[in-house]
Amino acid sequence: EGGAPNDCEETPGASYARDIVATEDCQVVKVDVEELRRLTAVGHPGAVALVERLGSLHYSRVTQLKKVCQGHEDLADVIARQDFLITQYALQYHSLGKKGKLEIQATKQLGSADALSVAYSPGVAEPCLAIEANPDLSYEYTARGHLVGVVSNRTAVLGLGDIGALASKPVMEGKAVLFKKFGKLDSFDIELNESDPDKLIDIICALEPTFGGINLEDIKAPECYYIEPRVQARVNIPVMHDDQHGTAIIAGAGLVNALDITGKDISQIKVVVSGMGAAGFTVARHFITCLLYTSPSPRDS
């Protein structure tokens, strides 16, 4: 593959011409664009996979080109065009094939009437009775042990603010995808139209029988400080607020690694936290915890 120019100004507004070099034996297949669009529209798996792959490559190259062009005022139109292309691909990505990013798959064979009779009535009554006698068996006979509830009341979605429960759904589906990709856990995304903290707590607690854990997502501060501990106190499954705890964990890991690389002691540094929202407040509190556990004399710091 040919290299791109180092300076975007040398070819303002131009796409880079590249020589394609195959790294292994392959067969070149010509695909009619209109036929590809038609097949993609009806959800043909091969066509959807091809468009998704092409889109991913294009997204990567456009993003790289945008970085090269940053800071060049004469290329503002080029950057605007790249932003437009990125936006269009993001929308197309979510609508390719089966809409959205999630689906439910059966984990048992359901190819016969007998199998369906065991999966549902009458066979399903046996695990029901077993769980009634011993609730812990819900982890043995159901998906509960690897099922996470991704729950949001849409009050602080990404950097977009309160955009409504329905508009927050792509984000919650995305978090469910991350659980599957990196943790091998299944998830249901649950978007709630509820701003009252106490009512929200009641709703979340009522979901306990369904899940093995609850991931609270995009709930704004300061309500999140009130909601999360009260939910945790009322249920017997793990509860975390990703904006608080997830951010604090990775920030803490970064701090510990930075101290190790630089050879500094945590009691000898100064940390500035800009903003005390859900993430900032909990990161600061976690850093204090790191100090207490790693410094030999925290009181002297």
Side-chain angles (χ1 to χ4, degrees):
E1 181 174 315
N6 292 325
D7 190 343
C8 192
E9 286 186 322
E10 294 178 6
T11 54
S15 298
Y16 298 135
R18 297 172 181 266
D19 297 324
I20 306 302
V21 178
T23 58
E24 58 185 52
D25 291 338
C26 62
Q27 180 181 5
V28 178
V29 179
K30 293 184 178 180
V31 180
D32 181 79
V33 173
E34 292 304 321
E35 180 69 6
L36 183 61
R37 287 175 178 169
R38 186 186 68 80
L39 291 172
T40 303
V42 297
H44 185 282
V48 170
L50 177 58
V51 171
E52 187 173 339
R53 177 56 179 159
L54 292 173
S56 178
L57 291 171
H58 181 69
Y59 183 90
S60 176
R61 291 181 176 179
V62 167
T63 302
Q64 293 173 12
L65 177 60
K66 182 180 175 182
K67 290 180 180 178
V68 173
C69 294
Q70 289 291 347
H72 297 271
E73 295 182 1
D74 56 323
L75 296 177
D77 290 343
V78 177
I79 296 175
R81 175 63 179 170
Q82 309 317 313
D83 287 337
F84 173 78
L85 292 174
I86 290 172
T87 298
Q88 292 304 304
Y89 174 65
L91 293 173
Q92 186 183 43
Y93 172 87
H94 284 82
S95 65
L96 281 173
K98 187 173 289 186
K99 310 306 181 185
K101 300 186 286 281
L102 298 173
E103 67 176 356
I104 294 175
Q105 293 276 2
T107 60
K108 304 295 186 290
Q109 297 296 318
L110 302 174
S112 68
D114 289 337
L116 291 171
S117 295
V118 177
Y120 194 54
S121 183
V124 76
E126 301 308 323
C128 290
L129 294 172
I131 293 170
E132 181 187 26
N134 180 3
D136 285 343
L137 289 176
S138 63
Y139 294 102
E140 180 71 21
Y141 298 130
T142 76
R144 189 184 184 210
H146 55 86
L147 189 60
V148 177
V150 178
V151 183
S152 178
N153 74 338
R154 55 78 175 116
T155 51
V157 181
L158 300 178
L160 305 174
D162 187 343
I163 60 174
L166 190 57
S168 74
K169 187 170 178 62
V171 179
M172 305 313 139
E173 285 189 359
K175 179 50 65 75
V177 167
L178 295 183
F179 273 116
K180 188 66 173 181
K181 174 67 175 178
F182 298 110
K184 309 301 181 186
L185 295 171
D186 297 310
S187 304
F188 290 152
D189 60 294
I190 299 178
E191 298 78 23
L192 300 171
N193 267 320
E194 184 54 73
S195 299
D196 182 277
D198 290 309
K199 291 181 179 179
L200 184 63
I201 290 169
D202 289 340
I203 294 171
I204 297 170
C205 291
L207 297 172
E208 179 183 3
T210 300
F211 299 110
I214 297 288
N215 177 87
L216 302 178
E217 191 77 22
D218 292 347
I219 299 175
K220 73 181 181 72
E223 288 89 338
C224 61
Y225 309 132
Y226 175 82
I227 293 168
E228 181 269 330
R230 283 161 177 77
V231 172
Q232 185 63 85
R234 288 174 52 180
V235 300
N236 293 313
I237 57 176
V239 178
M240 69 170 286
H241 180 207
D242 180 59
D243 304 74
Q244 293 187 69
H245 307 128
T247 308
I249 289 168
I250 60 171
L255 175 65
V256 171
N257 287 339
L259 292 171
D260 182 62
I261 292 172
T262 59
K264 294 182 178 180
D265 185 271
I266 193 171
S267 64
Q268 299 172 337
I269 66 169
K270 291 183 179 180
V271 177
V272 177
V273 179
S274 178
M276 294 300 282
F281 177 81
T282 309
V283 166
R285 187 169 60 181
H286 184 55
F287 280 9
I288 294 172
T289 302
C290 291
L291 170 66
L292 295 176
Y293 277 97
T294 60
S295 176
S297 55
R299 292 176 182 230
D300 297 333
S301 62

